C-alpha cells in the first residue's frame, strides 16, 4: 500500500514541507443529510407511539438522537483537522488544527532535538520535536512506518540546517 | 523493511497498561473485536447449556429433570442470551475487527465509546445470569416479555429489564460508531458502491438498530413502571392494552431478527466469491435487496401476532407485506448460486459452512413463507413449527455464518491456519446434528405440540427424543470449534498475507496476523 | 409388496434410533403433517399448507439442483476454470418477477380463508371461554350453563409415578360439548394473563386476552372428541391446561344441556346451605387440589421464593375474614387470582375451611357459604359507592 510522504517544498521559501490530515470521506452536506435521515425516522416512530399514549419511548429516542448529534458534531469539528510542518531557513513551523482549535509553534532549527520512541507492544511509534524543554508530537495521522519515514526525512533536514 | 526499524526501539517503550487493565482500557478496534468475540463465545456456552437442560427435560414425556417453573426460566434466558448476548455481540466483534480493515480506516470513529460499548455487555450478561440466583429464580415469562405474565414475577424480572436497558445502550453506542466509521472513514476511492458487502450489510444493520432500540427501551421501561409504579400502559384493568406491548415489542422485534441475519448475508457474500474464485454475481442487486429487506422489516411486525384477533384487513396487510420479503431474499439466494455457477470451487471449512448456510437458511425461509400465510400460521403459531423455523434461520443461518466468518478470517486475526481436518469434522458434525435437532420440530409443530411446554402428550415422544439426541450432539460438537480456535491462537501453520487464493479486499493486503495498527494513512482504492 | 414393507421398517428404525423404547407406554405413530381436518375451514387450511409445501419443494429442487450440480461440476479439483461473468440485468429481473407472481398465486386462496375465518356472523350458538391460570371456563351464554374445565391427568402420571394414559395431558374433567354441524362462535377472554385457545382439528386458535373479548368460530362436520392445548405462555402450568371439545349429535347435546342445568340448580342450592365441618373439609380438599395445589402444592408447603405456603401462613391462621377476602379478590401484581368469579360460594367456604384445618393447620373455625356471599355482596355494594 502506498505510504509515500509528500515532503517536497510547496513554496520556494520552504526547504521542507509536510502536510497530513485524517481521512474524512463524508462531506458536510452528506453528514447533515445522514443525521437528519436517521433522526427523523427515530423521532417520528417515537412520536407516533407517544400519540397513542405510549410516551416513554420518546425520551429514549431523544437521548439517542442527542448522542447521534454529538457524534456527528464531533465528526464535523474534526473534519478540518490537519498537521503541517514547514522548514524555512532555520525556522521550523509546526501547525496543528484539532477539533476547531488551532495550535502553532515555531522552533529554531538549531535548538531542536528529534525524539523517536520505538513501537511497544500495543503502542505506537512516538515522534516529537523537543525544544526549550517542550515536546511537540508529530505524525498523529500516520502509520508507524510512515512516522519513521517522516523521522528520517526530518532528521536529515534538521542536521542540514 | 520498516518493520525491523521499529523493533530496534522496543526497549524505549512507555509504560503501557498490561494484564487485565490493558483489556479494560483498550480502545483498539482489534482488541475490542476480540473481546466481543470471546464474550459471545462464553455466553454461547452458558445459553447452550440452558438449551441442553431444555432438551434433557423434553427427552421423554413427564417431568424428569426440572420443574416447569425452572423450565420456563431456561427457555426465557436461553432466548434472551442467545439473541442479545451471543449473536449480536458476535456480529459486533466482526464489525470491529473487519470494518476498519475492509474500508482502509485506522480504527473506529469513536474508540473511547467503543470501549464503553463493549464493557457494558459483561455487566448485562452478569445481571441476566444473576437472575437465576434471585428469590423465585430467573424470569420465566419468555424472551418476548409479554405482559400481564411479565408483571407477575419477582425481583429478577426487574433485573432482566435493567439488563435489556444496558444491552440497548451498548447496541446504540456500537451502531453509532459503526455508521460513522463506515460513512466517514472510508479510504480515498472506496466509494459506497465499492464497499465490501459485509460493510454494506452492517451499515444497514446499524441503521435498523438505531431506529428500533429506543422502541425496545421504551417498551421495557413501561413494563417496569407498570410493575413498580402503578402505571397502566399494558394493564387492561387500568385502561391499558396488553396487546399494545406486543405491537411495540415486535415493531422492535422484527427489525431485530434482520439485525441478527443481515451481517450473515454479508459474510456469506464475502466467502462464496473467494472460494468460487469468481466475483459476486450481482453486487448492486445484493445491496438493493438488503436495503429492501430492511425497509420491509418495519411493516411486517404483526405477523408475529396473527392470533391476537386483529381485523381481517390488518391480517391481510401483514400477510402480503411479509410474503413480499420472499422476493429480495430470493434475489440473494439466486445471486449466491449464480456466483458459484461456473466458478472454480474449493471446499475449505468456511466455504462448507457458507454452502450449508445458503441451503439451510433457505429451508428456514420456506418455513417462514408457510408461517406468513395467515390461515396456516393460525394453525402453527406458538407451536414447535415456529421453533423449527427460527432455529433454521438463527442456528443454520446466523450462527453458521458466524462460524464460517471465524474460519475465514481466523488466519488473518491469529496469523495461523486452523486445523482443516478438524474443521471439516466440526462442519459435518454440526450440520448433521443441527438437522437432527431441528427438522423433527417441524413435524411436532404440525402435529400440534405447542412451544414453551415442559411436558407433552405421548404422540410427540419420538420426535422429541430424536431432537434431544441431536441437540446434545450439536452442543458437544461446538467444543471442537473452541479447541480449534485456541489451537490456532497458540500456533500452527503460518498464514500468508493473502490467506485464500481467491480472496479480494483490503484486509488481505495487510500482514497476517494483522498488526496492532493498520491503515493509519489511508490506502488508495482504485 | 416391497414398498409397503418399507414404511413400517423405516418407522421402526427411527424409533430405535431415538432410543426411547420404554415399556408400558402406548406410543403413537409418527405424525408428519397437520392433524386430520374435521371442518371445511380446517380442510382448506390443510390444502393451502400442502400447496405451499409443493411450491417450496419445486423451487428448492430447481435452485439447489443447480447449486449441487455446480458444486459437483465446477470444482477446482475437477479442473474447472472460473469464468468471470457477473451482473446480468435480464436474469436479475426475471428472478425478481417470477417469485412475485408465485406469491400472488399463493396469496389468493389465503386471502379467501382469512376472510372466512374472520366471518363470525350468524352463529348457531355462542360460548364464552375464559382462560385462567391454568384452566378454562366455558359459559353457554343463552343457557345459563357455566363450568370450569381442568386437567384430569393425575399428578402421579406427570411425576412418572404411574404409567401414562392414552390421553396424557390431553384430558379434562369437564369437556366443552357442542352439537355437530352447527356454527359455534367462541368469545374469548382471560382472567389473569394471556392464554390461547386452540383446537387443531377445527382450525381455530385465538388468544384469550384479559380485559378484551375476541371471537372466533368453528363448525365441526363430524362427531368426536377433539383435543387441543393452550398456546400462549401463561406461567408455570402452561402445558397443563388442555382443551377438549366433544362434538355430539343435537339430541345428545340437548340431553347434556338439560343435565347441566339441573346440576347448576343443585350447586346454587348449596350456596345457601349450612354445612358441617366434615362436609366442608371433604369438599374443600377437592377444590384445593383442582385450583390451589398447582402453586401452593398438594401439601400446602408452596414453592419458596415463588409461591407462599399455606401451612402456618399468617393468612390461613389469622382472621377468617381476611382469608376469605384474599381468596375472593386475589392479590394484584401476583399470580394469586381472584377466585370470586371462578368458584361458587360453597366452594370458597369449603376451601377456606380446608386450608385452616387441613394442610398442617388447625385453627378450628369454619367458613359458611352465606358468610362468603356476604363478603362478596359487600364488596359489590361498596364498589359503586367508591366510584
Amino acid at each position: 500500500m502506498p505510504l509515500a510522504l509528500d515532503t517536497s517544498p510547496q513554496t520556494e521559501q520552504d526547504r521542507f514541507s509536510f502536510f497530513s490530515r485524517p481521512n474524512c470521506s463524508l462531506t458536510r452536506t452528506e453528514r447533515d443529510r445522514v443525521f437528519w435521515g436517521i433522526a427523523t425516522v427515530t423521532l417520528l416512530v417515537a412520536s407516533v407511539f407517544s400519540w397513542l399514549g405510549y410516551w416513554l419511548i420518546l425520551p429514549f429516542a431523544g437521548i439517542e438522537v442527542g448522542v447521534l448529534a454529538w457524534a456527528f458534531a464531533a465528526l464535523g469539528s474534526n473534519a478540518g483537522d490537519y498537521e503541517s510542518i514547514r522548514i524555512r531557513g532555520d525556522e521550523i513551523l509546526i501547525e496543528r488544527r484539532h477539533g476547531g482549535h488551532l495550535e502553532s509553534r515555531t522552533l529554531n532549527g538549531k535548538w531542536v532535538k528529534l525524539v523517536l520512541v520505538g513501537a511497544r507492544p500495543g503502542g505506537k511509534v512516538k515522534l516529537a520535536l523537543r525544544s526549550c524543554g517542550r515536546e511537540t508530537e508529530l505524525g498523529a495521522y500516520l502509520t508507524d512506518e510512515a512516522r519513521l519515514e517522516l523521522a528520517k526525512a526530518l532528521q536529515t533536514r534538521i542536521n542540514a540546517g | 523493511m520498516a518493520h525491523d526499524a521499529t523493533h530496534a526501539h522496543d526497549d524505549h517503550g512507555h509504560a503501557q497498561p498490561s494484564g487485565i487493565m490493558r483489556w479494560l482500557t483498550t480502545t483498539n478496534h482489534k482488541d475490542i473485536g476480540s473481546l466481543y468475540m470471546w464474550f459471545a463465545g462464553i455466553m454461547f456456552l452458558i445459553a447452550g447449556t440452558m438449551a441442553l437442560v431444555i432438551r434433557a427435560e423434553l427427552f421423554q414425556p413427564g417431568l424428569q429433570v426440572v420443574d416447569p417453573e425452572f423450565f420456563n426460566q431456561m427457555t426465557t434466558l436461553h432466548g434472551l442470551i442467545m439473541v442479545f448476548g451471543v449473536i449480536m455481540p458476535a456480529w459486533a466483534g466482526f464489525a470491529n475487527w473487519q470494518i476498519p480493515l475492509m474500508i482502509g480506516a485506522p480504527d473506529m470513529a469513536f474508540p473511547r465509546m467503543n470501549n464503553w460499548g463493549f464493557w457494558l455487555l459483561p455487566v448485562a450478561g452478569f445481571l441476566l445470569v444473576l437472575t437465576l440466583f434471585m428469590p423465585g429464580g430467573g424470569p420465566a415469562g419468555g424472551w418476548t416479555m409479554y405482559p400481564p405474565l411479565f408483571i407477575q414475577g419477582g425481583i429478577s424480572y426487574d433485573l432482566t429489564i435493567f439488563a435489556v436497558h444496558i444491552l440497548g445502550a451498548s447496541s446504540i453506542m456500537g451502531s453509532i460508531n459503526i455508521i460513522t466509521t463506515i460513512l466517514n472513514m472510508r479510504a480515498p476511492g472506496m466509494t459506497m458502491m465499492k464497499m465490501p458487502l459485509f460493510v454494506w450489510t452492517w451499515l444497514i444493520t446499524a441503521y435498523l438498530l438505531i431506529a428500533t432500540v429506543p422502541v425496545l427501551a421504551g417498551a421495557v421501561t413501561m413494563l417496569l413502571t407498570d410493575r413498580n409504579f402503578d402505571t397502566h400502559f399494558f394493564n387492561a384493568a387500568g385502561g391499558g392494552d396488553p396487546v399494545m406491548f406486543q405491537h411495540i415489542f415486535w415493531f422492535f422485534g422484527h427489525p431485530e431478527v434482520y439485525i441478527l441475519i443481515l451481517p450473515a448475508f454479508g459474510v456469506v457474500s464475502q466467502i462464496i466469491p473467494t472460494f468460487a474464485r469468481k466475483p459476486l454475481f450481482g453486487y448492486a442487486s445484493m445491496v438493493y435487496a438488503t436495503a429492501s429487506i430492511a425497509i420491509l422489516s418495519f411493516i411486517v411486525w404483526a405477523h408475529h401476532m396473527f392470533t391476537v384477533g386483529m381485523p381481517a384487513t390488518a391480517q391481510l396487510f401483514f400477510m402480503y407485506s411479509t410474503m413480499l420479503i420472499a422476493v429480495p431474499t430470493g434475489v440473494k439466494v439466486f445471486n449466491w448460486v449464480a456466483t458459484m455457477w461456473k466458478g472454480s470451487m474449493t471446499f475449505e471449512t468456511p466455504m462448507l459452512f457458507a454452502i450449508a448456510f445458503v441451503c439451510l437458511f433457505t429451508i428456514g425461509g420456506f418455513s417462514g413463507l408457510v408461517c406468513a400465510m395467515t390461515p396456516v400460521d393460525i394453525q402453527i403459531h406458538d407451536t414447535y413449527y415456529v421453533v423449527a423455523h427460527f432455529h433454521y434461520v438463527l442456528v443454520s443461518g446466523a450462527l453458521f455464518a458466524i462460524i464460517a466468518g471465524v474460519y475465514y478470517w481466523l488466519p488473518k486475526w491469529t496469523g495461523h491456519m486452523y486445523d482443516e481436518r478438524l474443521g471439516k469434522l466440526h462442519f459435518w458434525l454440526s450440520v448433521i446434528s443441527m438437522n437432527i435437532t431441528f427438522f423433527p420440530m417441524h413435524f411436532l409443530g404440525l402435529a400440534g405440540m405447542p412451544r414453551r411446554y415442559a411436558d407433552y402428550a405421548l404422540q410427540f415422544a419420538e420426535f422429541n427424543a430424536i431432537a434431544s439426541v441431536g441437540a446434545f450432539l450439536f452442543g458437544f460438537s461446538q467444543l471442537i470449534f473452541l479447541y480449534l480456535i485456541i489451537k490456532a491462537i497458540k500456533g500452527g501453520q503460518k498464514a500468508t498475507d493473502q490467506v485464500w487464493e481467491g480472496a479480494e479486499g483490503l484486509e488481505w493486503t495487510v500482514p497476517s496476523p494483522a498488526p496492532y495498527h493498520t491503515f493509519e494513512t489511508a490506502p488508495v482504492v482504485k | 409388496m416391497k414398498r409397503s414393507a418399507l414404511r413400517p421398517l423405516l418407522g421402526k428404525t427411527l424409533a430405535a434410533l431415538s432410543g426411547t423404547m420404554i415399556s408400558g407406554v402406548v406410543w403413537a405413530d409418527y405424525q408428519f403433517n397437520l392433524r386430520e381436518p374435521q371442518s371445511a375451514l380446517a380442510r382448506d387450511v390443510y390444502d393451502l399448507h400442502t400447496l405451499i409445501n409443493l411450491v417450496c419443494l419445486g423451487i428448492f429442487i430447481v435452485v439447489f439442483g443447480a447449486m449441487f450440480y455446480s458444486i459437483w461440476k465446477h470444482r477446482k479439483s475437477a479442473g474447472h476454470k472460473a469464468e468471470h461473468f457477473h451482473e446480468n440485468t435480464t436474469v436479475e429481473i426475471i428472478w425478481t418477477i417470477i417469485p412475485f407472481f408465485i406469491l400472488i398465486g399463493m396469496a389468493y386462496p389465503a386471502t379467501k380463508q382469512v376472510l372466512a375465518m374472520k366471518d363470525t356472523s350468524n352463529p348457531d350458538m355462542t360460548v364464552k371461554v375464559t382462560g385462567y391460570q391454568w384452566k378454562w371456563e366455558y359459559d353457554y351464554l343463552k343457557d345459563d350453563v357455566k363450568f370450569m374445565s381442568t386437567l384430569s391427568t393425575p399428578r402421579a402420571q406427570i411425576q412418572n409415578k404411574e404409567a401414562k394414559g392414552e390421553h396424557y395431558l390431553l384430558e379434562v374433567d369437564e369437556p366443552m360439548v357442542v352439537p355437530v354441524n352447527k356454527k359455534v362462535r367462541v368469545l374469548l377472554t382471560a382472567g389473569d394473563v394471556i392464554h390461547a385457545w386452540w383446537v387443531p382439528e377445527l382450525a381455530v386458535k385465538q388468544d384469550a386476552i384479559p380485559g378484551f373479548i375476541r371471537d372466533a368460530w368453528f363448525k365441526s362436520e363430524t362427531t368426536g372428541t377433539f383435543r387441543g392445548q393452550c398456546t400462549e405462555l401463561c406461567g408455570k402450568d402452561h402445558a397443563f391446561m388442555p382443551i377438549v371439545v366433544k362434538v355430539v349429535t343435537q339430541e345428545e347435546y340437548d340431553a347434556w344441556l338439560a343435565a347441566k342445568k339441573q346440576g347448576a340448580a343443585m350447586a346454587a342450592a348449596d350456596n345457601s346451605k349450612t354445612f358441617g365441618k366434615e362436609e366442608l373439609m371433604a369438599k374443600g380438599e377437592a377444590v384445593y387440589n383442582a385450583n390451589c395445589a398447582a402453586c401452593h402444592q398438594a401439601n400446602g408447603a408452596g414453592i419458596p421464593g415463588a409461591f407462599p405456603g399455606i401451612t402456618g401462613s399468617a393468612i390461613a391462621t389469622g382472621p377468617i375474614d381476611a382469608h376469605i377476602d384474599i381468596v375472593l379478590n386475589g392479590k394484584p401484581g401476583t399470580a394469586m387470582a381472584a377466585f370470586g368469579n371462578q368458584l361458587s360460594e360453597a366452594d370458597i367456604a369449603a376451601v377456606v375451611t380446608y386450608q385452616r384445618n387441613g394442610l398442617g393447620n388447625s385453627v378450628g373455625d369454619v367458613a359458611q357459604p352465606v358468610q362468603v356471599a356476604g363478603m362478596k355482596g359487600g364488596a359489590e355494594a361498596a364498589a359503586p359507592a367508591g366510584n
Side-chain angles (χ1 to χ4, degrees), chain C residues 122-377:
Chain C
N122 302 318
D124 296 313
M125 61 182 283
T126 302
V127 182
K128 179 170 166 244
V129 181
T130 311
Y132 292 103
Q133 283 174 319
W134 293 276
K135 51 191 169 275
W136 294 98
E137 182 193 65
Y138 296 94
D139 187 352
Y140 289 64
L141 289 175
K142 288 235 176 78
D143 301 299
D144 251 351
V145 167
K146 186 169 157 183
F147 57 89
M148 282 286 175
S149 172
T150 51
L151 177 74
S152 61
T153 301
R155 288 266 149 189
Q157 287 189 15
I158 297 169
Q159 305 293 349
N160 307 307
K161 287 171 193 147
E162 276 175 21
K164 296 178 177 32
E166 189 190 352
H167 296 300
Y168 176 68
L169 297 188
L170 295 174
E171 51 202 349
V172 294
D173 52 357
E174 292 241 41
M176 175 191 191
V177 179
V178 292
V180 71
N181 279 323
K182 287 276 151 68
K183 182 170 181 176
V184 182
R185 179 168 173 244
V186 191
L187 296 179
L188 275 141
T189 187
D192 32 49
V193 302
I194 303 176
H195 304 268
W197 195 81
W198 182 33
V199 185
E201 282 93 342
L202 304 171
V204 53
K205 181 189 285 165
Q206 172 59 52
D207 286 2
I209 301 159
F212 291 81
I213 290 188
R214 306 280 200 227
D215 62 354
W217 68 274
F218 65 88
K219 185 177 179 178
S220 178
E221 290 172 346
T222 44
T223 55
T225 305
F226 307 121
R227 297 164 199 276
Q229 288 176 290
C230 176
T231 43
E232 183 60 63
L233 179 61
C234 56
K236 109 186 162 45
D237 280 1
H238 174 43
F240 305 114
M241 51 179 292
I243 293 131
V244 178
V245 177
K246 224 168 128 184
V247 182
V248 296
T249 60
Q250 185 67 45
E251 298 80 63
E252 285 173 299
Y253 173 72
D254 292 338
W256 172 82
L257 199 65
K260 268 284 164 202
K261 280 183 180 165
Q262 206 176 4
M266 279 164 67
D270 275 357
N271 287 342
S272 47
K273 240 172 89 176
T274 303
F275 291 91
K277 190 171 175 186
E278 300 310 312
E279 266 181 302
L280 284 169
M281 288 292 283
K283 193 180 171 70
E285 185 171 5
V287 175
Y288 182 84
N289 285 332
N291 294 288
C292 318
C295 295
H296 298 297
Q297 304 301 301
N299 61 3
I303 298 176
F307 303 108
I310 301 288
T311 312
S313 86
I315 290 168
T317 55
I320 194 161
D321 279 358
H323 189 175
I324 296 173
D325 179 68
I326 197 166
V327 177
L328 269 178
N329 301 315
K331 193 174 174 193
T334 69
M336 179 63 197
F339 285 92
N341 48 10
Q342 294 185 32
L343 299 174
S344 71
E345 283 102 52
D347 284 346
I348 291 178
V351 82
V352 167
T353 307
Y354 176 70
Q355 289 179 352
R356 299 177 77 78
N357 301 296
L359 303 168
N361 293 335
S362 49
V363 185
D365 53 0
V366 298
Q368 289 297 346
V370 193
Q371 194 179 353
V372 176
M375 288 187 62
K376 211 174 173 179

Side-chain angles (χ1 to χ4, degrees), chain B residues 87-387:
Chain B
I87 306 284
M88 287 174 73
W91 287 135
F94 276 103
N96 267 285
W97 254 102
Q98 289 307 125
I99 289 176
L101 282 179
M102 289 173 121
I103 61 172
D107 205 312
M108 300 297 276
F110 298 98
R112 182 63 55 195
M113 187 162 82
N114 205 11
N115 173 290
W116 299 335
F118 170 75
W119 282 108
L120 285 177
L121 281 183
V123 178
F126 175 75
L127 282 181
L128 282 178
V129 176
L130 186 72
T131 57
L132 282 173
F133 304 96
M134 291 286 124
W143 83 277
T144 48
M145 306 182 276
Y146 283 5
L149 185 61
F150 214 77
I151 308 287
Q152 284 183 349
I155 180 81
S156 63
Y157 287 65
D158 297 315
L159 274 183
T160 306
I161 291 172
F162 188 46
V164 170
H165 275 133
I166 297 174
L167 291 163
S170 162
S171 294
I172 291 299
M173 289 193 206
S175 324
I176 291 180
N177 223 332
I178 287 167
I179 282 197
T180 47
T181 306
I182 294 174
L183 291 178
N184 197 46
M185 297 178 74
R186 276 170 290 128
M190 177 65 79
T191 57
M192 293 300 276
M193 290 311 270
K194 272 190 192 159
M195 291 196 310
L197 217 71
F198 176 70
V199 180
W200 254 116
T201 52
W202 239 117
L203 178 66
I204 294 169
T205 301
Y207 179 76
L208 288 180
L209 273 167
I210 290 183
T212 58
V213 166
V215 179
L216 173 70
V220 296
T221 307
M222 289 185 273
L223 272 186
L224 192 74
T225 59
D226 270 11
R227 286 173 51 80
N228 299 307
F229 305 112
D230 273 339
T231 57
H232 302 287
F233 289 109
F234 307 122
N235 180 358
D241 182 353
V243 176
M244 198 59 199
F245 177 84
Q246 301 183 21
H247 281 292
I248 300 172
F249 181 84
W250 287 112
F251 186 85
F252 150 80
H254 204 79
E256 167 71 19
V257 306
Y258 293 137
I259 287 161
L260 302 176
I261 200 68
L262 289 184
F265 293 160
V267 166
V268 169
S269 303
Q270 302 298 129
I271 292 174
I272 289 179
T274 298
F275 295 95
R277 292 165 180 76
K278 193 166 155 280
L280 192 65
F281 180 79
Y283 173 87
S285 66
M286 281 297 228
V287 171
Y288 300 142
T290 312
S292 322
I293 291 174
I295 293 165
L296 283 173
S297 77
F298 285 106
I299 55 164
V300 298
W301 76 88
H303 67 216
H304 295 268
M305 331 160 32
F306 278 146
T307 62
V308 298
M310 284 180 286
T313 41
Q315 290 199 341
L316 290 175
F317 172 80
F318 287 109
M319 176 172 83
Y320 299 148
S321 59
T322 305
M323 289 170 78
L324 267 186
I325 291 179
V327 176
T329 313
V331 167
K332 285 187 164 290
V333 173
F334 299 142
N335 260 308
W336 289 321
V337 174
T339 305
M340 291 187 221
W341 189 256
K342 298 210 166 162
S344 174
M345 274 186 273
T346 51
F347 303 99
E348 288 85 349
T349 312
M351 181 63 162
L352 288 176
F353 272 103
I355 291 172
F357 169 93
V358 175
C359 195
L360 298 174
F361 174 78
T362 305
I363 293 181
F366 283 143
S367 60
L369 192 59
V370 173
C371 291
M373 315 296 287
T374 310
V376 182
D377 183 73
I378 286 175
Q379 277 290 60
I380 57 189
H381 172 82
D382 249 319
T383 67
Y384 260 80
Y385 193 91
V386 177
V387 177

